[in-house]
Amino acid sequence: MTALHRKMIFRTRQALMGTFMAKPQPKAMIFLGPGSSTQLAQAIGRFGLRNTLVVTDKPLRELGVLDTTLAALASAGVSTTVYDGVVPDPTQKIVDEGIAQYRQSGCDAVLAFGGGSSIDAAKVIALAVANGCVAADCIGAKKCKLPAAPLFAIPTTAGTGSEGTFIAVISNNETHAKDGVIDPSLIPRAAALDPELMCGLPPHITAATGMDALTHAIESYVARWGNDDTDYYGLASCRLVFDNLAEACHNGENLEAREAMALASYYGGLAISHALVGYVHAISHNLGAKYGVPHGLGNAMVLPHVMELIQPQAQEKFADIARHCGMGSPGDSSATLAQTLVDRVWALNEEISIPRTTDVIQAGDIDGLVQAAISEGGNYASPRFISEQECRNILMAISA
């Protein structure tokens, strides 16, 4: 490890861990199971909130997926203003539009309804309105003095785990580079993991978001900043994904599989809040910023490549995951079990039709992507640093 790398790790850990991450953090109150979104709506009314900004995207609103929740809020005496301007990887501008809508409508709470993009946007809206500022002012670790406005979440995908984290990611308006907003009050007060809302997800989105959850679980478990809690949630998430993701992809109406994947996503979110992620995310984030590659898909394509690279340093941790998930045979060595896990990830990608390559990566962009990914990856606690050439090799391997 170079002196520069040590300094980067120290500064990041000091910024992210020193003020609040090292302390026990609250978790969202969770409503779980079919119909839990209605239970959450009733709870919002019981909290005495009367005008909620619902943050979502146009497709969900137009498909009517939101209607039952809006009706439940109305029955609970809660008026709603719907902001449906969220798009994948929302920019500061999109978040600022939601902030303006909250203020214009005199809202007193925020409900995120949708995937990770909607939840992240809602988090920053809730933080900004409480502090009288705009999205750009929230970027960084604990930049705002006051806690976020009352915040709730109903995820409709099972991947990001954003309903369980105090982290939000928004994109720069011009460069689309992703920036982090980190604040303990970004943990929603309550969230509903309702599998009925996830049954309509097409297989390719189910697959990509599910592999996002698995990436969170694996990267947090092998990270050097993990602890007993993050290990517990990471292992639980891994088992749930390996046991249920293929079924959720192939039989989307299976509520048991959908509920299990919702829990896997939530547990993965709890794990990364403290242990953070690793080079899979560092590479995937930059593919998303440069080309708009969906985050879960990027993670899915990159995950087994990074696992192959770090396997010698993560061998015991990989073996733990394999044992917990019932892989291998009695008496297998740690080295054998670690390779079994890597092979299982490759096989799962194949089983759920994750492509091995993408045709969006341009040869002339690779040097810039490598520099950006290596810079970001140095801020995490991966079992080891990867070199520029190793990162370049991964990008070449996933290029069509």
Side-chain angles (χ1 to χ4, degrees):
M1 184 189 301
T2 68
L4 175 60
H5 281 150
R6 284 194 295 270
K7 184 180 290 187
M8 290 170 65
I9 288 291
F10 174 77
R11 287 180 175 174
T12 301
R13 187 175 179 87
Q14 186 179 50
L16 302 186
M17 305 288 283
T19 55
F20 55 89
M21 285 178 68
K23 301 176 182 178
Q25 296 298 320
K27 297 179 179 67
M29 178 194 301
I30 293 297
F31 296 90
L32 176 66
S36 57
S37 55
T38 296
Q39 292 179 307
L40 174 58
Q42 294 168 343
I44 292 172
R46 296 190 193 104
F47 290 145
L49 301 166
R50 290 293 173 259
N51 189 0
T52 296
L53 180 73
V54 181
V55 180
T56 188
D57 59 60
K58 283 185 172 62
L60 282 177
R61 188 178 190 182
E62 291 171 354
L63 287 170
V65 180
L66 184 58
D67 291 351
T68 299
T69 300
L70 293 178
L73 286 165
S75 295
V78 181
S79 299
T80 53
T81 299
V82 178
Y83 173 60
D84 63 3
V86 178
V87 298
D89 301 319
T91 61
Q92 296 169 24
K93 180 177 182 295
I94 286 172
V95 173
D96 286 341
E97 290 172 355
I99 293 168
Q101 186 65 63
Y102 181 103
R103 291 170 176 154
Q104 291 167 7
S105 301
C107 295
D108 56 10
V110 179
L111 170 63
F113 188 99
S117 293
S118 291
I119 299 174
D120 281 1
K123 286 179 171 182
V124 183
I125 290 170
L127 186 61
V129 297
N131 285 274
C133 64
V134 295
D137 299 323
C138 301
I139 293 170
K142 198 66 173 68
K143 293 295 184 180
C144 296
K145 293 182 179 180
L146 299 177
L151 172 66
F152 307 90
I154 301 177
T156 59
T157 63
T160 69
S162 187
E163 67 279 1
T165 73
F166 48 67
I167 303 167
V169 178
I170 55 175
S171 298
N172 181 278
N173 291 328
E174 285 76 35
T175 67
H176 292 274
K178 296 187 176 184
D179 295 311
V181 177
I182 304 169
D183 191 287
S185 70
L186 293 185
I187 298 173
R189 298 190 181 189
L193 307 181
D194 191 336
E196 290 182 329
L197 298 176
M198 303 176 187
C199 286
L201 283 176
H204 73 282
I205 295 179
T206 301
T209 56
M211 290 304 294
D212 190 15
L214 182 63
T215 304
H216 292 162
I218 292 175
E219 289 203 300
S220 66
Y221 189 72
V222 303
R224 290 180 288 109
W225 291 348
N227 56 40
D228 288 346
D229 284 344
T230 63
D231 285 355
Y232 177 86
Y233 290 122
L235 285 174
S237 181
C238 285
R239 181 69 181 260
L240 287 165
V241 174
F242 283 122
D243 287 352
N244 294 279
L245 178 54
E247 173 64 16
C249 290
H250 302 318
N251 182 13
E253 298 300 314
N254 185 326
L255 288 176
E256 184 177 347
R258 291 290 191 185
E259 184 174 308
M261 286 306 303
L263 271 176
S265 176
Y266 176 61
Y267 289 159
L270 293 179
I272 64 171
S273 281
H274 290 263
L276 299 186
V277 287
Y279 282 100
V280 180
H281 275 74
I283 296 171
S284 178
H285 281 160
N286 286 285
L287 290 174
K290 185 68 176 179
Y291 305 115
V293 175
H295 178 62
L297 177 59
N299 278 346
M301 290 191 294
V302 173
L303 176 61
H305 291 281
V306 171
M307 290 179 70
E308 295 276 13
L309 274 180
I310 68 172
Q311 183 177 340
Q313 292 75 27
Q315 178 176 291
E316 293 300 327
K317 287 283 194 174
F318 282 0
D320 287 346
I321 295 172
R323 292 187 191 98
H324 186 78
C325 297
M327 299 176 190
S329 302
D332 279 352
S333 67
S334 291
T336 297
L337 286 169
Q339 187 60 53
T340 298
L341 175 66
V342 177
D343 292 342
R344 182 69 182 93
V345 172
W346 282 113
L348 180 57
N349 268 351
E350 186 74 21
E351 186 176 2
I352 60 177
S353 300
I354 295 291
R356 285 197 174 221
T357 60
T358 174
D359 61 3
V360 302
I361 299 174
Q362 303 299 309
D365 296 334
I366 288 182
D367 285 347
L369 290 169
V370 167
Q371 292 295 325
I374 291 297
S375 177
E376 178 179 337
N379 292 324
Y380 302 135
S382 179
R384 77 167 176 89
F385 290 101
I386 69 173
S387 69
E388 291 186 6
Q389 187 57 52
E390 287 170 330
C391 184
R392 183 175 289 105
N393 290 343
I394 292 174
L395 289 168
M396 294 296 294
I398 65 171
S399 299

